[in-house]
Structure formats: structure tokens, C-alpha cells
């Protein structure tokens, strides 16, 4: 790890903070995957890692390499853009297929296709 | 001109991605990237995407700022829900919302925004009845979800595209 | 002093990401239904990609970045394929 010794203190502190906060948020998202008790709630958990986690850790990596190697072409931007564009698509398709399966089995209380059942608290005037 | 360069923005974005992957700004790479971008735009013609024109392009910045702030807030809220004690169960539920947005690309953007926000997930949209089925993680402080989505996202998108 | 600080924090964040991967793996193995397993797999590959980014910072090697990009690409495609399969598979049933 010889190259990391060249990192000055003013850059090392934000890099460490970004890394630790990003990884802790990702861990909380994965814990949510374990703790939440039904599939539709669990659908929200990985978004934590995919939004905040990816952005913070990529920022840390960009800052580290920009200071160390004086390289101002940020290819981590590619990962951020790609993950932010694709994760919603995956989750939307997964939610749709889960809804479809639950409707066919009819065991879970999911809203029906023809007439969406209004939930007790969140109602809509239409 | 339109025939040779069907999607100039797409070609430019592809060239930018090529340069980022190769990490160089040499003329050879720029030329190769431009050739790739233009030739892949021709492939896009066969897919026939529906064309939309942004009326007020300067509103994009404001919408993006709103989305970034909301994603950050909702991250903190979802972390609170996950780390809550077990004796207070999570109160999640489905919310049907009636939308008036018609444009397909605007609907796609709305879907991506809502799913990228950790507290809400887009499940299904019926294009005949214009009803969107949304799943919300914390429905207690979300009684006004439908109103919030209409004023915060749908109105700016409508202004932008229609 | 600075080097010790940054090396330990990179190591700590790698351990945390490893724990996150273990959580996602547990959900994938145990998940009561097929959609839970796919969700676990999706979370697992995002966490693995982040872990590769931290390895890249530690060794200053761009090959880790390429690997992370490929994991992101292929993971997305595989999740989409699984989700599509769930919808089509039930139709035949």
C-alpha cells in the first residue's frame, strides 16, 4: 500500500468519511432485506445501497484517484450513471412479476386488476 | 441532415461514454467514438421510439434538484424505518393514484424517479384507466402521497413535455 | 498516521460491505419465494460491485474498475431475465 501514504490529510479525511458512510448505508439496506416482513416492503431495501451507497463510494474513489494520480477523467461516473438508470427498471419488473404471481395464486392480499382496492389510510379522491 | 444524424444527442452521449471508458482525449479516440455513436444511432431508427420534444428545457435543472433532495430525504426516512424496534411493525401499503400524464417518455421518467426513491415503488400502470399502483413503505406519514406526487413530480413533467 | 487511518478505514468498510453481502446471500438462500431470491441476488451483485471499487482504491489498479463495470452490466441483464421468466413461467403453468 505504498501509494496511499502519498494522500494528504485534507483528502484522506473526506475519503474515509465517504467510504464509511456509504458502506454503512449499504449495510442498513441489506439488513432491511432481512428484517422487513413482506416482499413488497423488501422491494424498497436494495434501493438504499443502489442510490446512496453507490454515489458515496464512487465519490470517495474519484477523490482518492484525483488527488493521488492527478487524473481528472472520472470513469466512476459511468458506474453511477449505469446503476442509477438500471436499478429502477429491475425493481419495477420484479414488482410487476410478484404482483402477477400473487394475483394468480390469490393467497396474498394484493389489489385486483380491475378495480384497485383503496387502502384504509392512503385513499385517493378518484 | 436529419437522415444522416437521426439522434444527435444519443450519438453524443455514446461518444462521451466511449471516451470515459478509454480515459483519453486523443483525436483518434474521439474519431472512433464519433463513428460508433453515429452508426449506433442508425440502429435506434429501427426501434422507432416515440418522439417527444421538450418545451422548456431549462426546467430540467429544477426537477433534478427536487429529485436529488427527495432521494436523500427518503433515504434517511427508510433507514429510520428499517432500524426501528420490532414492537412497532412497518405499516406499508398500496396506493392507487390517478394520473393525467399522457406522454410515454414522461411516464417512463416518472417511473424511474418514483422507483429510485427508496420509500416508494412503481408496480403497475394501466394505460386505459390511467391508474398507477404504487407501493409505499411508510404509509403513516404518507396519507398525502397521491397529492404529493401530483404536485411535486407530475406537474413539472407536464410543464416540461406537454 | 494518515496512512494508518486510511488503510484501517478502507479495511473497515470492506468488512461492512462483506456483512452486507452476507445478509443478501442469506435472503437469497432462505427467501420464501422465487422473487425474494432474485431480489437477494440483485442486492448481492450491487454490494459485490461496491466491494470491488474499494479493492481498486486499496491497490490503485484500474482492472478492478473494469470488473465492477462488467458485474453491473451482467447483473442487470440477469435480473431482468429472471424477472421476465417469473412472469412467463407462470403463464404456462
Amino acid at each position: 500500500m505504498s501509494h496511499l501514504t502519498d494522500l494528504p490529510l485534507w483528502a484522506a479525511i473526506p475519503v474515509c468519511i465517504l467510504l464509511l458512510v456509504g458502506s454503512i448505508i449499504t449495510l442498513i439496506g441489506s439488513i432491511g432485506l432481512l428484517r422487513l416482513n413482506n416482499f413488497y416492503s423488501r422491494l424498497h431495501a436494495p434501493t438504499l445501497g443502489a442510490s446512496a451507497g453507490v454515489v458515496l463510494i464512487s465519490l470517495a474513489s474519484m477523490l482518492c484517484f484525483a488527488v493521488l494520480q492527478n487524473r481528472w477523467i472520472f470513469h466512476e461516473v459511468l458506474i453511477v450513471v449505469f446503476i442509477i438508470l438500471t436499478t429502477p427498471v429491475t425493481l419495477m419488473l420484479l414488482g410487476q412479476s410478484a404482483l402477477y404471481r400473487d394475483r394468480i395464486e390469490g393467497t396474498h392480499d394484493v389489489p385486483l386488476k380491475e378495480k384497485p382496492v383503496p387502502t384504509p389510510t392512503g385513499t385517493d379522491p378518484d | 441532415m436529419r437522415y444522416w444524424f437521426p439522434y444527435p444527442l444519443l450519438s453524443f452521449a455514446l461518444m462521451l461514454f466511449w471516451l470515459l471508458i478509454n480515459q483519453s482525449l486523443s483525436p483518434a479516440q474521439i474519431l472512433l467514438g464519433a463513428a460508433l455513436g453515429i452508426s449506433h444511432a442508425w440502429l435506434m431508427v429501427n426501434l422507432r421510439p416515440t418522439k417527444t420534444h421538450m418545451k422548456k428545457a431549462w426546467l430540467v435543472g429544477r426537477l433534478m434538484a427536487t429529485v436529488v433532495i427527495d432521494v436523500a430525504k427518503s433515504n434517511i426516512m427508510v433507514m429510520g424505518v428499517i432500524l426501528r424496534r420490532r414492537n412497532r411493525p412497518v405499516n406499508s401499503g398500496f396506493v392507487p393514484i390517478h394520473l393525467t400524464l399522457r406522454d410515454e417518455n414522461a411516464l417512463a421518467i416518472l417511473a424511474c424517479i418514483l422507483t429510485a426513491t427508496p420509500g416508494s415503488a412503481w408496480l403497475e400502470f394501466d394505460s386505459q384507466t390511467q391508474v398507477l399502483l404504487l407501493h409505499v413503505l411508510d404509509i403513516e406519514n404518507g396519507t398525502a402521497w397521491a397529492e404529493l406526487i401530483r404536485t411535486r413530480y407530475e406537474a413539472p413533467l407536464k410543464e416540461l413535455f406537454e | 498516521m494518515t496512512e494508518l487511518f486510511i488503510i484501517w478505514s478502507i479495511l473497515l468498510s470492506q468488512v461492512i460491505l462483506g456483512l452486507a453481502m452476507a445478509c443478501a446471500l442469506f435472503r437469497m438462500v432462505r427467501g420464501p419465494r422465487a422473487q425474494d431470491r432474485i431480489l437477494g441476488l440483485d442486492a448481492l451483485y450491487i454490494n459485490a460491485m461496491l466491494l470491488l471499487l474499494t479493492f481498486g482504491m486499496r491497490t490503485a489498479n484500474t482492472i478492478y474498475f473494469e470488473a465492477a463495470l462488467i458485474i453491473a452490466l451482467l447483473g442487470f441483464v440477469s435480473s431482468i431475465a429472471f424477472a421476465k421468466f417469473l412472469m412467463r413461467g407462470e403463464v404456462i403453468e
Side-chain angles (χ1 to χ4, degrees), chain B residues 104-129:
Chain B
E104 276 182 24
N105 291 332
L107 279 172
I109 293 176
L110 184 65
C112 279
I113 290 173
L114 287 181
T115 317
T117 313
S120 58
W122 171 293
L123 285 183
E124 190 184 54
F125 181 70
D126 192 343
S127 55
Q128 258 95 49
T129 56

Side-chain angles (χ1 to χ4, degrees), chain A residues 19 23 26 57, chain C residues 10-19 21 44-58 64 68 71:
Chain A
L19 256 182
S23 50
T26 312
I57 290 181
Chain C
I10 287 181
L11 193 68
L12 188 61
S13 78
Q14 281 175 344
V15 169
I16 291 172
L17 285 173
L19 279 178
M21 277 177 81
L44 184 71
Y45 86 73
I46 288 181
N47 293 348
M49 196 202 71
L50 292 178
L51 192 60
L52 278 179
L53 276 184
T54 59
F55 270 116
M57 281 177 73
R58 201 168 152 174
Y64 284 109
I71 285 186

